[in-house]
Amino acid sequence: MRFDYTRSVGTTIGTFLTNLRDHKIIGARGSDGRVIVPPPEYDPITAEPLTDFVDVAETGTVESWTWVREPLPGQPFDRPFAWALIRLDGADTTLLHAVDVAAPEDMQTGLRVTARWAAKTEGSIRDIVCFEPGEKSGSPAEAGAAAEPVTMITTPVDLSYKHTASPQETVYLRGLAEGKLIGARTDDAGKVYFPPRGANPTDGRPTNDFIELPDRGTVTTFCIVNVPFLGQRIKPPYVAAYVLLDGADIPVLHLVLGCDASEVRMGMRVEAVWKPREEWGYGLENVDHFRPTGEPDADYETYKHHL
Amino acid sequence: MTDNATDIAVVGFAHAPHVPETFGTTNGVEMLVPCFQQLYDRLGITKSDIGFWCSGSSDYLAGRAFSFISAVDAIGAVPPINESHVEMDAAWALYEAWVKLRSGQAKTALVYGFGKSSASTLRQVLTLQLDPYLVAPLWPDALSIAGLQARAGLDAGRWTERDMAAVAAGASGDVDSLLDKPYVADPLRAHDVAPITDGAAAVVLAVGDRARELCERPAWITGMAHRVDTPVLGARDLTVSPSTSAAARAVTGGDTSGFDVAELHAPFSHQQLILTEAIGLRNGTAINPSGGALTANPMFAAGLERIGFAAEAIMAGTANRALAHATSGPALQQNLVTVLESETQ
């Protein structure tokens, strides 16, 4: 799962990030007199907006720490490092960040650390690469001239998952690899689902009575895609349609090609166009698209319950 | 109770096997169907006897959008059902259901939670619970956040590594051999950290006489409250849990005597120490007879299971008064405390 979260940061976080870009760290003074870093948007006690910004030092003291033996993608280092809660001089709360030392033996609570700035600061918490032991930073010189205030941040998210097919999906996917369309129902009184489901949504029971379906059916409804979007594989306009396979009780979403988009209609009879056999895998994309069969349209009565 | 609230009880609890990895989908359907079946059979009810459904789960854990919608397949939503969802541990779904019953909108509720932690890297996925502006972009993981909390307590003299190992070892365990084990996220060792568990759990609630019909010894909910601490980790004292204290005070009125059992949702050993103190549990209370989250931690169901196990002790007659705690979010950020009793007060 990979996507970029783009967020507007608001006034308070925006001010903090704009200052970070200039190699400055600020906090806000709360109603109890504490200097809170990073500055919260609202006072933790009174919930009033906090506007009394205070400069704090880029040097501080480790208040707690832990050691990362196996760094994860996205973390500040791809080698072991420490996370620490750091109380910057002038602050009353701690900031979470990485500390660059070689071994856990080099870490201790009370360690004095200083921010190491990125070569190019952009208005993100990652403008601070990490903290390093000592009172003085070996960072590059001060950031350049003032630019527009920071109003947005983008955070990439990249997570991987091992997705497992349910037992019913497994039968369906194996069928596809052999060129078969397999639906299923809970019992012979039940509706035929394509694909079969782990639990029948009408009664919660598994659909374990498998049925091979023909590769032709009826368009129940459709839309003409006119809008280009990222990752699009076909040039618009084209038709995405619900196709009710003969014998199934629920339509499946697929492409209808092989005719002008404006010719596609409810009730149109279509058949699968399979990719060459050597390209088949475990997926419905083995069917490249559906195309009109040329048969007369299906009577509305035959599919009106499956819209 | 002093207000005119309806009496509400837990009348059934079921959970899926606690396993490191299941064959099922991240929708939870394969784990939930047997739970529901078990509850229907035991209580002699069907789907149509349930007035309200509420679940807890997470799309980030499932790796897909609207994963709770697929889980609804396990219920069967034809004819339409009255259903809701929280993106938290299902203990909070139980709270929502409790409010629903208290406000007279239903007589029974079925609450469920599920999570397939094995599908991804749990400690990384849980980063997405953190502040997305200034913390999550660094990708600190859940194990590290807990390590920072554990260290803060050690440095403050609130507990020792031996105390932490003693929680993990239980009454008969060998603490010394645990202390010889290597760190996984200093000062946490493997035994200080809940195992990766796939699981699901379900609880049935019922009102007044309906509860008495369904269960010989209903576990009456005599108090339920939840509180939250600031999400800013650096702005709170991680060695204590004020939100747990506040929730516990709200439901016990400060009287923590007479609890036969307390089920605490502590995914890390030191958190059990924090919680025990925050609630003010006395010596006579058996803490986590189920084994707690350190033996099985099905995400988004483990907190609901604490309520389930506490209720089960009452339904089975081995306890008269029980306390259940659930947590959600990083470093005990949000906490819920429930008091269950064998008879209405």
Side-chain angles (χ1 to χ4, degrees):
Chain A
M1 190 168 73
R2 186 177 301 170
F3 53 93
D4 287 346
Y5 262 129
T6 303
R7 291 184 164 89
S8 58
V9 293
T11 313
T12 308
I13 294 172
T15 305
F16 176 77
L17 293 176
T18 303
N19 275 275
L20 271 192
R21 197 178 55 193
D22 295 338
H23 290 203
K24 283 190 286 206
I25 306 175
I26 62 160
R29 193 178 301 279
S31 62
D32 57 357
R34 291 195 308 167
V35 175
I36 306 169
V37 181
E41 290 170 298
Y42 298 96
D43 188 90
I45 298 164
T46 65
E48 291 297 315
L50 289 179
T51 52
D52 183 9
F53 293 116
V54 181
D55 289 338
V56 299
E58 61 176 20
T59 302
T61 304
V62 170
E63 300 266 299
S64 184
W65 62 276
T66 186
W67 190 251
V68 181
R69 276 150 209 280
E70 292 169 28
L72 290 166
Q75 294 186 335
F77 295 103
D78 57 7
R79 53 185 159 81
F81 67 98
W83 290 114
L85 290 168
I86 297 159
R87 190 165 53 78
L88 297 170
D89 296 346
D92 295 300
T93 64
T94 59
L95 176 79
L96 176 67
H97 220 300
V99 177
D100 183 16
V101 291
E105 291 72 30
D106 300 330
M107 281 303 292
Q108 59 179 10
T109 301
L111 183 73
R112 295 284 292 163
V113 292
T114 299
R116 180 193 299 164
W117 298 94
K120 186 173 185 304
T121 52
E122 300 174 325
S124 138
I125 190 65
R126 302 196 77 135
D127 286 352
I128 302 173
V129 176
C130 64
F131 284 77
E132 59 194 26
E135 300 285 340
K136 198 161 164 41
S137 172
S139 296
E142 292 285 309
E148 288 294 303
V150 177
T151 56
M152 303 289 281
I153 55 168
T154 300
T155 308
V157 170
D158 187 355
L159 299 169
S160 31
Y161 294 84
K162 186 169 72 179
H163 273 294
T164 313
S166 72
Q168 294 78 14
E169 285 167 337
T170 302
V171 174
Y172 160 79
L173 294 170
R174 288 199 170 129
L176 283 169
E178 296 170 12
K180 294 177 187 167
L181 302 178
I182 297 178
R185 56 191 179 183
T186 46
D187 54 41
D188 47 10
K191 303 225 184 257
V192 175
Y193 290 91
F194 178 84
R197 307 172 77 108
N200 183 329
T202 63
D203 59 16
R205 288 186 296 152
T207 56
N208 285 336
D209 181 10
F210 296 99
I211 296 156
E212 189 175 343
L213 298 167
D215 65 353
R216 62 173 55 202
T218 302
V219 172
T220 62
T221 187
F222 65 97
C223 83
I224 300 174
V225 180
N226 288 303
V227 183
F229 57 85
L230 194 69
Q232 196 167 44
R233 290 185 298 174
I234 304 169
K235 190 172 152 47
Y238 61 90
V239 174
Y242 271 143
V243 175
L244 182 69
L245 296 176
D246 294 346
D249 289 301
I250 189 165
V252 64
L253 182 65
H254 217 302
L255 297 167
V256 172
L257 305 176
C259 65
D260 203 73
S262 62
E263 289 174 40
V264 176
R265 57 202 178 266
M266 289 173 77
M268 181 183 237
R269 295 286 297 160
V270 292
E271 64 186 352
V273 177
W274 293 80
K275 286 183 181 165
R277 185 169 199 122
E278 57 273 17
E279 291 176 28
W280 288 356
Y282 295 95
L284 191 55
E285 60 269 23
N286 291 358
V287 173
D288 186 75
H289 62 273
F290 284 81
R291 71 174 169 215
T293 63
E295 296 166 85
D297 283 4
D299 187 4
Y300 179 67
E301 294 296 317
T302 63
Y303 62 88
K304 71 174 183 183
H305 293 298
H306 306 295
L307 292 174
Chain B
M1 287 183 198
T2 52
D3 58 14
N4 60 358
T6 319
D7 293 338
I8 296 157
V10 173
V11 295
F13 167 53
H15 69 84
H18 294 139
V19 292
E21 186 171 357
T22 67
F23 68 85
T25 61
T26 56
N27 301 334
V29 166
E30 296 80 6
M31 297 187 287
L32 286 166
V33 167
C35 289
F36 296 161
Q37 213 51 58
Q38 204 179 321
L39 286 168
Y40 296 155
D41 291 349
R42 203 182 299 155
L43 299 175
I45 59 172
T46 66
K47 177 186 92 168
S48 57
D49 289 297
I50 302 296
F52 179 61
W53 304 77
C54 201
S55 64
S57 68
S58 165
D59 283 355
Y60 285 123
L61 198 65
R64 55 184 296 175
F66 295 105
S67 59
F68 73 93
I69 298 275
S70 303
V72 169
D73 274 7
I75 305 169
V78 178
I81 55 167
N82 193 0
E83 184 265 349
S84 186
H85 174 258
V86 299
E87 192 85 4
M88 292 182 78
D89 189 285
W92 275 262
L94 191 143
Y95 187 92
E96 182 177 334
W98 180 69
V99 170
K100 197 88 170 174
L101 300 192
R102 274 181 73 126
S103 56
Q105 297 179 72
K107 297 238 174 282
T108 52
L110 197 153
V111 180
Y112 61 98
F114 62 94
K116 187 177 175 180
S117 302
S118 68
S120 56
T121 306
L122 180 64
R123 66 186 172 113
Q124 183 185 30
V125 169
L126 292 180
T127 298
L128 294 165
Q129 293 187 326
L130 298 167
D131 160 36
Y133 296 95
L134 302 175
V135 182
L138 297 168
W139 286 94
D141 55 285
L143 204 54
S144 297
I145 299 292
L148 290 168
Q149 185 180 35
R151 167 86 58 202
L154 291 170
D155 287 342
R158 303 251 313 128
W159 54 77
T160 64
E161 292 186 24
R162 175 167 289 273
D163 294 335
M164 291 159 59
V167 169
S172 55
D174 179 356
V175 172
D176 287 314
S177 74
L178 292 185
L179 288 172
D180 287 339
K181 298 275 198 276
Y183 291 121
V184 294
D186 320 31
L188 300 175
R189 298 177 170 87
H191 58 257
D192 294 311
V193 181
I196 302 293
T197 312
D198 289 352
V203 165
V204 177
L205 299 179
V207 164
D209 286 342
R210 184 66 178 132
R212 295 181 186 93
E213 283 169 23
L214 292 172
C215 182
E216 200 174 327
R217 263 177 70 89
W220 298 100
I221 297 174
T222 57
M224 200 170 188
H226 63 106
R227 298 286 189 275
V228 58
D229 288 313
T230 171
V232 184
L233 293 170
R236 65 179 164 108
D237 180 352
L238 293 173
T239 70
V240 290
S241 181
S243 56
T244 301
S245 297
R249 237 184 350 262
V251 291
T252 65
D255 177 14
T256 54
S257 62
F259 285 115
D260 302 304
V261 170
E263 283 286 338
L264 305 182
H265 184 194
F268 299 92
S269 61
H270 65 276
Q271 293 181 343
Q272 185 171 316
L273 300 169
I274 296 174
L275 294 168
T276 303
E277 187 181 300
I279 296 165
L281 288 171
R282 314 283 183 91
N283 277 334
T285 303
I287 295 177
N288 283 344
S290 69
L294 283 180
T295 58
N297 185 38
M299 288 305 300
F300 301 93
L304 180 67
E305 286 192 351
R306 304 279 76 71
I307 299 172
F309 283 120
E312 207 163 58
I314 290 174
M315 292 188 284
T318 59
N320 285 318
R321 192 165 190 241
L323 180 143
H325 160 271
T327 196
S328 201
L332 298 177
Q333 192 205 349
Q334 300 151 79
N335 296 283
L336 180 148
V337 180
T338 309
V339 173
L340 301 135
E341 299 188 18
S342 58
E343 297 168 12
T344 41
Q345 296 299 292

